[in-house]
Amino acid sequence: MSIMDFNVKKLAADAGTFLSRAVQFTEEKLGQAEKTELDAHLENLLSKAECTKQWTEKMMRQTEVLLQPNPNARIEEFVYEKLDRKAPTRINNQELLGQYMIDAGNDFGPGTAYGNALIKCGETQKRIGTADRELVQTAAINFLTPLRNFIEGDYKTITKERKLLQNKRLDLDAAKTRLKKAKIAETRALQLNSTQPEGDNIMVNLSYMLNLLHVKWLKSEQELRITQSEFDRQAEITRLLLEGISSTHAHHLRCLNDFVEAQMTYYAQCYQYMLDLQKQLGSFPSVFVSNNSQSSTTSMSNISTSSSGITTSLLPSTSGTAITPAIGDLKESSGNRKARVLYDYDAANSTELSLLADEVITVYSIVGMDSDWLMGERGNQKGKVPITYLELLN
């Protein structure tokens, strides 16, 4: 029974406090009550914390969009994170494109120029996909996680203490208002007493009222001292937390440097992968024939240099493709030339010659041979070689 009485009294006290705060807040909004202003330093700290929170949220959301453009995938990752479970590994766009290219190249034939180029491009795309996955993981650990920890941890604590400070301020202002009203009531009672009304009963009642108002005034003063002390204590706690925002900025700066370094590594890897791919693919045809068999030329210069001097790139010859003069002269003549191998080639059958990148072989043309091929010799070995894998030397 005593526990129940205690709970009822506590509930009644809490309800009274809440009502007092509500009345004070309403009167402040209506301009009917005074409001205790926070000191300028604390106001600046509160503004700085709010600004930090807003921009951190915006940067965090946009970084998530940058690293994972698919909104459905982001929602799925969010759900797994809240369930404290690891999200399933998902193939990214670069890896998927790379796999499609490799499958297409194998279907068209790895021995053909187009099929081999597709395989090379596919392998590069998969490497870029792996680098992108590493970027996402590094950015999530070194950049996104610290930002999220601030929003969900430090700033929540600041918000909680700031709300407590607001409540303590309302209690303080309500106590000031009650003390002010008690003083006014006591002053009016003293004025009535000074008029010396007739009758003993009236004097007794007036004296009793004065004593009651004086007790109420003393009680209001005591309450004001308590609320002022609690407000000052809460303001100090809030100030100490808010001053930690500067340390948060310093920590986020280190995280930002880690994010920039991760991006730099990613883009450097992508550049190197594409540079290697470009070297493997070599040059492509720049002159095409339209559907009505009338030639229309487009200028596309691709000059390759080597340690032995200026070389002429061999271009693949397909239906409707013009052949470079160097290849045309070689095919029309019965002589042979030296050529440098651009990249590795595995012979598809016994009539072809396997090649190693950067080796120099002898090439020549045979009447009736397919325009995409030349005969190649390396010592006692001989066989057909694709012209797209060669660079004719001057």
Side-chain angles (χ1 to χ4, degrees):
M1 189 67 179
S2 60
I3 296 178
M4 184 177 295
D5 290 341
F6 175 76
N7 291 336
V8 171
K9 290 180 181 179
K10 186 177 184 301
L11 181 62
D14 292 342
T17 302
F18 176 79
L19 181 61
S20 175
R21 291 171 180 171
V23 171
Q24 178 66 28
F25 182 80
T26 304
E27 290 180 349
E28 288 176 359
K29 291 297 181 182
L30 297 176
Q32 299 175 357
E34 296 180 359
K35 175 182 177 181
T36 300
E37 299 294 340
L38 302 176
D39 64 84
H41 178 61
L42 187 57
E43 287 285 3
N44 290 334
L45 291 175
L46 288 170
S47 177
K48 183 178 180 181
E50 182 65 23
C51 182
T52 302
K53 178 250 186 183
Q54 291 179 357
W55 285 114
T56 300
E57 285 182 332
K58 290 181 179 179
M59 290 188 295
M60 187 174 66
R61 286 196 297 265
Q62 194 56 40
T63 304
E64 291 173 346
V65 172
L66 174 67
L67 298 177
Q68 178 51 266
N70 188 343
N72 294 329
R74 291 201 302 273
I75 293 174
E76 181 181 350
E77 291 173 356
F78 176 79
V79 172
Y80 274 102
E81 181 182 351
K82 292 302 178 183
L83 295 175
D84 197 20
R85 295 177 57 187
K86 183 179 180 182
T89 303
R90 183 188 299 103
I91 187 171
N92 57 34
N93 294 329
Q94 294 90 339
E95 291 173 328
L96 184 60
L97 174 61
Q99 190 58 52
Y100 285 164
M101 286 182 169
I102 291 174
D103 293 343
N106 288 326
D107 196 17
F108 295 149
T112 64
Y114 183 44
N116 188 275
L118 280 173
I119 293 175
K120 296 292 185 183
C121 289
E123 292 172 348
T124 300
Q125 290 295 331
K126 294 186 77 171
R127 283 195 290 269
I128 292 176
T130 301
D132 181 76
R133 191 184 301 280
E134 293 174 354
L135 171 65
V136 171
Q137 293 175 350
T138 303
I141 295 172
N142 295 339
F143 188 62
L144 281 178
T145 299
L147 297 185
R148 188 176 292 110
N149 288 342
F150 168 72
I151 296 297
E152 298 179 355
D154 295 348
Y155 193 78
K156 277 190 175 181
T157 303
I158 292 175
T159 302
K160 177 183 176 182
E161 297 300 330
R162 184 178 181 179
K163 188 176 296 184
L164 282 174
L165 178 63
Q166 172 73 356
N167 291 336
K168 297 300 181 183
R169 185 196 63 77
L170 289 173
D171 292 342
L172 173 62
D173 289 337
K176 288 180 179 180
T177 302
R178 285 191 293 270
L179 178 60
K180 183 178 180 181
K181 290 179 179 180
K183 287 182 177 180
I184 293 174
E186 188 177 21
T187 301
R188 288 179 179 176
L190 288 173
Q191 290 174 353
L192 288 174
N193 188 32
S194 64
T195 58
Q196 296 181 355
E198 297 180 357
D200 294 338
N201 291 334
I202 295 177
M203 290 299 294
V204 171
N205 292 335
L206 187 57
S207 178
Y208 175 77
M209 184 176 67
L210 284 172
N211 291 332
L212 183 64
L213 291 174
H214 185 67
V215 171
K216 186 176 181 181
W217 177 71
L218 292 176
K219 184 178 179 182
S220 298
E221 276 195 333
Q222 183 182 8
E223 183 184 9
L224 177 60
R225 286 194 296 270
I226 294 174
T227 53
Q228 182 70 56
S229 175
E230 291 179 348
F231 171 77
D232 293 340
R233 177 177 175 275
Q234 186 59 39
E236 182 65 17
I237 293 174
T238 307
R239 183 185 64 79
L240 291 174
L241 285 173
L242 291 173
E243 287 178 346
I245 292 294
S246 298
S247 299
T248 299
H249 284 187
H251 177 55
H252 287 181
L253 175 59
R254 294 191 294 271
C255 297
L256 181 62
N257 288 332
D258 292 340
F259 179 54
V260 171
E261 185 176 350
Q263 283 187 305
M264 182 185 66
T265 301
Y266 168 71
Y267 289 121
Q269 286 177 326
C270 292
Y271 174 75
Q272 187 60 47
Y273 292 153
M274 297 310 296
L275 197 63
D276 295 341
L277 178 62
Q278 185 184 42
K279 290 179 181 179
Q280 291 179 1
L281 293 181
S283 303
F284 286 89
S286 59
V287 183
F288 299 90
V289 179
S290 61
N291 291 334
N292 58 5
S293 299
Q294 293 180 350
S295 63
S296 64
T297 62
T298 59
S299 174
M300 184 174 70
S301 62
N302 188 354
I303 303 174
S304 58
T305 59
S306 66
S307 58
S308 59
I310 300 177
T311 61
T312 303
S313 296
L314 294 176
L315 304 179
S317 174
T318 58
S319 178
T321 303
I323 302 176
T324 60
I327 297 176
D329 294 343
L330 181 60
K331 286 185 172 292
E332 291 175 1
S333 66
S334 58
N336 53 35
R337 295 280 295 276
K338 294 291 185 180
R340 184 174 66 87
V341 178
L342 295 175
Y343 43 94
D344 295 348
Y345 175 74
D346 294 328
N349 51 54
S350 59
T351 65
E352 298 176 6
L353 179 65
S354 295
L355 303 174
L356 295 175
D358 294 327
E359 70 172 329
V360 177
I361 63 172
T362 302
V363 294
Y364 56 90
S365 178
I366 298 178
V367 178
M369 178 176 286
D370 192 301
S371 59
D372 289 340
W373 299 82
L374 290 172
M375 287 298 295
E377 287 187 0
R378 181 180 56 236
N380 295 328
Q381 296 178 330
K382 181 188 300 184
K384 294 192 300 180
V385 292
I387 62 174
T388 54
Y389 285 65
L390 304 174
E391 193 173 43
L392 203 60
L393 301 177
N394 290 332

